[in-house]
Amino acid sequence: MHPYNRLSSSGHNTPSPPQSPLRSPRYRKGKGGRPGLQPRTLAQRLAWTLLSVFLRRQGVFLFAPLIYIAGMLLYMGTVSFDVVPHIKPRPAPGSVYRSPQLYEKLRPEMDSDNSSADGLVTVWRHPYRGGEWRPCINKTLGDLPESNGYIYVEANGGLNQQRTSICNAVAVAGYLNATLVIPNFHYHSIWRDPSKFKDIYDEEHFISTLKNDVQVVSKIPDFLMERFDRNMSNVYNFRIKAWSPIRYYKDAVLPKLLEEQVIRISPFANRLSFDAPPTVQRLRCLANYEALRFSNAIATFAETLVARMKERSAKNNGKYIAVHLRFEEDMVAFSCCVFDGGKEEMQEMNAARERGWRGKFTKPGRVIRPGAIRINGKCPLTPLEVGLMLRGMGFDNSTSIYLASGKIYKAEKTMAPLLEMFPLLQTKDTLASMEELAPFKNFSSRMAAIDYTVCLHSEVFVTTQGGNFPHFLMGHRRYLYGGHSKTIRPDKRKWKTFKRHVLNMRSHSDAKGIELKRPNDSIYTFPCPDCMCRVNKLEELRFSSVP
C-alpha cells in the first residue's frame, strides 16, 4: 500500500481549489436544452430577461459607478446649500468657562447655608505620623581658607527667581571656595524694577550670616578690575546650561576661576541642579532661610500690615487666609485660556501676547487649544472661582482674606463676586494709605516682598497657579511651622461635584502639608530633611519649653 499523498502530482506544495461551476445548478439546462426552471408570469419573464442581459453583458457593470455619480450630481444641483442645517459640535465637558453660571446657580444655596463649621479652626487637623520637624542648619565655626577668586552673577527674573539665583550662587561659591560678589539684579522689561540687592534685602545681615561659610563682598577690588578696564563686560562670562550638576562647576568653572581670578556667570537663574550633596544643600538652606532677610524698610512696613490683618481677624483669633491670585493681564494672556470677555477679550489678549512675547504665540505650525488647556487644569483661577472654592471648603463670609496679587485683569468686573462672598477681603491698597505705599509702589519686587511677608504669617495660604512665589512660600512656611506648609493647592481639574471635591481638596492639602524632599525636588519648597530635623516627643517637650 502506498501512503496517502496530500500533495498534487505536479509537485506544488499548495493544493489547487476545485473549479467553481459556471452557473448555479438551479439554472442549468435540463434535458433537451430546456432550462430547469421556467418563469411563468409576465413580471417573472421581464425580470429574467433583464438578468440574462446583465449576466451576458458584464461590461455594463463598469458604468454603474459613473451612472451613480452622475445621478448624485444631478440631485445636488437641485438642492440649495443655504437650507442645509449647520450642526455645531458640542464642547467637551470642562473645556468652557462657565463659573459665572455656576455662581448664579449656587448663590441662593450659599446664602442660605447655616452650617456652623469654622473653616479656620478645622482646616489643619491631619496628624503626621513622622512627628514634628524643626530647623537644624549647622553653622560653621572658624576662619575660611584663602579664596580661589571672585564670582559675579547676574540674577534675572522676578523676586523669587532672583532668590533662587542668590541661594545657588552662595552654594557654588562655598563649594568652589570662592568669594561671592553681591549679586546684580538684571533689569527686565516685564518686571521693570531697577531695585538693587540692598533695596530688597538686608545686605549687612546677609554678609554676616554667611561669614564663616562663604566670603561675601559688595564689589570686586579695584586692582583686579583694572585688568578689565573697570568694565564687567570684559570679564570672562560662563554660559552654563540650566540645571547643571555641582560637579560641572568643579570641573569646568574652577580651573578658569583660578586662571582669571574673576569670572562672571550671566544669566544665573536655575543654573544648578536641585539634586546636590549635603554640603551644598546646607549652604542653600543657610542662604534661603537665615541669610536672606528683607530690608528694614520692607520688613517694618510688611509687619505693620500683618498686625492690621490680625486686628481685622479678631473674630477668628487673629487668623486670616492669604490668597496668591495670578489673574493679571500678562498671566491671562500667557495662559491662552478663554474666559467670558468675548471678542474684546480676544483682541486684548492677542495684543498683550504680542507685547510681552513678540511672535512666540504666532509661530507657523503652533496650535493653541484653549479647551484642552482648561480641561488639563492649566488656566489661572479667576477671583470668582477662588471665592467658590473657599466657600465650598467651609470658609464663611466672616473670614478675613488677604489678597496678594498684581493688577487684576478687568478688576471692577472680575473682583465683584469675590467681594460679595468675602466682604472682609483686604489688599495692600486697603490696609495702607497712599503715603505709606509710595516708597514701594513703582517697584514690583518690593511690592512682592511685602505680599510674601503677609502671606508667610497667615493661618492658611492658598496658591492658585504655581510659580516661584508659592513654591518659596510653601517651603518657608514648612520651615516655620514644624514642617507643615499650611497651604491649599487646588486641583483645578476637580469641578464636577463641587462641594465634595473642594472638601477633598482641603483634606488633601492638609495631608500633603508635610512632605519630604525627593531626588530632584527643590530644597526651597521641601526643606525636610536637608534644612530641618525630626523632633521626637521628649525633644519636642524640651524644645517647646525653651523661651
Side-chain angles (χ1 to χ4, degrees):
M1 292 182 64
H2 296 284
Y4 174 71
N5 187 3
R6 295 176 61 190
L7 303 179
S8 63
S9 59
S10 63
H12 292 291
N13 292 333
T14 305
S16 300
Q19 291 185 347
S20 300
L22 293 176
R23 289 183 184 160
S24 171
R26 181 179 176 85
Y27 296 103
R28 288 178 181 170
K29 289 185 178 182
K31 293 181 180 179
R34 288 185 171 183
L37 181 66
Q38 293 287 345
R40 296 181 180 180
T41 65
L42 180 63
Q44 287 177 337
R45 289 177 181 175
L46 183 60
W48 176 258
T49 303
L50 289 172
L51 182 61
S52 300
V53 169
F54 276 109
L55 288 173
R56 291 171 184 173
R57 302 286 188 271
Q58 295 180 8
V60 174
F61 286 109
L62 296 174
F63 295 96
L66 297 176
I67 296 170
Y68 174 77
I69 294 171
M72 288 299 295
L73 290 173
L74 288 172
Y75 171 75
M76 291 171 69
T78 62
V79 178
S80 173
F81 285 100
D82 295 335
V83 299
V84 175
H86 178 65
I87 302 174
K88 290 185 177 180
R90 178 177 292 182
S95 64
V96 178
Y97 177 67
R98 291 199 175 100
S99 295
Q101 294 89 326
L102 177 64
Y103 178 50
E104 290 301 319
K105 181 180 178 181
L106 293 178
R107 189 172 178 183
E109 185 179 345
M110 195 183 300
D111 292 339
S112 62
D113 189 356
N114 296 319
S115 59
S116 58
D118 188 346
L120 280 172
V121 172
T122 61
V123 62
W124 310 125
R125 53 185 179 182
H126 191 281
Y128 181 61
R129 297 176 183 176
E132 290 283 317
W133 291 76
R134 64 176 176 83
C136 60
I137 303 171
N138 297 320
K139 295 183 180 179
T140 305
L141 299 176
D143 297 330
L144 291 170
E146 185 178 350
S147 174
N148 288 325
Y150 292 82
I151 293 179
Y152 174 90
V153 302
E154 289 190 1
N156 53 311
L159 175 72
N160 291 286
Q161 191 168 341
Q162 290 171 347
R163 194 178 183 110
T164 304
S165 298
I166 296 166
C167 298
N168 288 346
V170 169
V172 169
Y175 186 75
L176 300 182
N177 187 33
T179 299
L180 177 66
V181 182
I182 288 290
N184 179 54
F185 291 167
H186 179 70
Y187 181 83
H188 197 281
S189 58
I190 293 179
W191 288 277
R192 298 175 184 174
D193 190 339
S195 297
K196 303 301 180 184
F197 186 96
K198 64 181 180 180
D199 297 321
I200 298 174
Y201 297 106
D202 186 334
E203 189 172 305
E204 290 184 6
H205 177 76
F206 182 74
I207 294 173
S208 64
T209 304
L210 296 171
K211 66 180 180 180
N212 292 326
D213 293 275
V214 181
Q215 186 177 355
V216 183
V217 296
S218 57
K219 65 175 187 176
I220 300 171
D222 291 338
F223 75 89
L224 280 176
M225 287 306 298
E226 287 176 359
R227 291 172 46 198
F228 307 100
D229 297 329
R230 300 182 180 277
N231 188 346
M232 281 303 302
S233 62
N234 293 331
V235 176
Y236 183 86
N237 183 37
F238 263 97
R239 289 283 181 174
I240 296 176
K241 292 182 180 179
W243 315 115
S244 292
I246 192 66
R247 185 75 190 180
Y248 173 82
Y249 288 87
K250 186 174 183 180
D251 295 341
V253 177
L254 182 57
K256 195 69 176 179
L257 176 65
L258 292 170
E259 177 187 342
E260 296 284 330
Q261 286 298 293
V262 182
I263 61 166
R264 181 164 60 103
I265 306 177
S266 177
F268 193 65
N270 303 322
R271 291 304 188 270
L272 179 61
S273 169
F274 281 136
D275 199 18
T279 53
V280 175
Q281 302 291 52
R282 188 186 69 82
L283 290 173
R284 279 171 153 171
C285 296
L286 182 62
N288 188 49
Y289 299 114
E290 300 292 339
L292 281 178
R293 190 169 71 184
F294 290 126
S295 66
N296 186 59
I298 291 174
T300 302
F301 179 61
E303 287 164 7
T304 300
L305 298 191
V306 171
R308 291 174 186 175
M309 277 303 303
K310 290 183 177 180
E311 289 173 8
R312 286 161 173 74
S313 310
K315 185 179 177 181
N316 291 306
N317 298 318
K319 296 178 179 179
Y320 61 92
I321 294 176
V323 177
H324 181 227
L325 181 61
R326 293 304 315 273
F327 204 69
E328 303 91 346
E329 184 181 70
D330 63 328
M331 174 56 70
V332 177
F334 188 81
S335 72
C336 295
C337 296
V338 175
F339 294 91
D340 58 345
K343 186 176 180 180
E344 181 184 358
E345 176 191 307
M346 182 180 67
Q347 292 173 345
E348 289 176 347
M349 293 300 100
N350 286 338
R353 280 190 281 269
E354 193 59 25
R355 280 196 309 271
W357 303 274
R358 191 173 302 277
K360 176 176 179 149
F361 295 92
T362 55
K363 289 180 180 179
R366 176 157 189 175
V367 179
I368 298 173
R369 298 184 175 88
I373 296 171
R374 184 169 295 280
I375 290 173
N376 290 329
K378 301 297 184 183
C379 290
L381 289 181
T382 64
L384 167 59
E385 289 171 330
V386 170
L388 288 172
M389 177 185 71
L390 292 177
R391 290 299 297 268
M393 288 181 176
F395 301 106
D396 61 22
N397 60 5
S398 68
T399 305
S400 294
I401 292 180
Y402 178 81
L403 192 68
S405 71
K407 185 179 179 181
I408 300 297
Y409 176 62
K410 301 277 188 185
E412 187 174 348
K413 171 191 172 184
T414 57
M415 285 294 295
L418 179 58
L419 288 167
E420 288 175 359
M421 288 182 272
F422 293 97
L424 300 182
L425 184 141
Q426 305 287 342
T427 64
K428 295 184 292 292
D429 298 286
T430 60
L431 287 173
S433 65
M434 292 180 62
E435 291 76 16
E436 289 176 310
L437 283 171
F440 315 100
K441 194 71 175 177
N442 296 320
F443 302 93
S444 60
S445 291
R446 301 182 204 184
M447 295 288 273
I450 294 167
D451 280 338
Y452 186 99
T453 304
V454 182
C455 292
L456 184 64
H457 296 289
S458 65
E459 177 65 19
V460 178
F461 173 60
V462 180
T463 172
T464 63
Q465 186 59 19
N468 289 313
F469 186 95
H471 287 160
F472 268 92
L473 259 171
M474 283 191 287
H476 208 153
R477 289 167 67 83
R478 284 187 170 109
Y479 190 76
L480 292 180
Y481 303 129
H484 197 300
S485 66
K486 295 190 174 184
T487 299
I488 291 175
R489 291 177 288 171
D491 183 345
K492 290 177 282 184
R493 294 168 294 184
K494 295 182 177 180
W495 286 90
K496 293 182 181 177
T497 54
F498 181 73
K499 194 155 185 173
R500 176 170 62 85
H501 276 310
V502 293
L503 286 171
N504 287 342
M505 248 184 252
R506 195 181 90 172
S507 177
H508 179 76
S509 295
D510 185 14
K512 301 289 281 186
I514 294 179
E515 289 185 271
L516 304 186
K517 181 185 176 299
R518 298 164 297 185
N520 296 319
D521 276 345
S522 168
I523 202 169
Y524 311 122
T525 307
F526 303 97
C528 306
D530 295 278
C531 308
M532 305 182 73
C533 302
R534 185 175 287 136
V535 181
N536 60 36
K537 293 297 181 182
L538 184 61
E539 287 180 338
E540 188 175 346
L541 290 172
R542 186 169 66 250
F543 185 70
S544 61
S545 64
V546 176

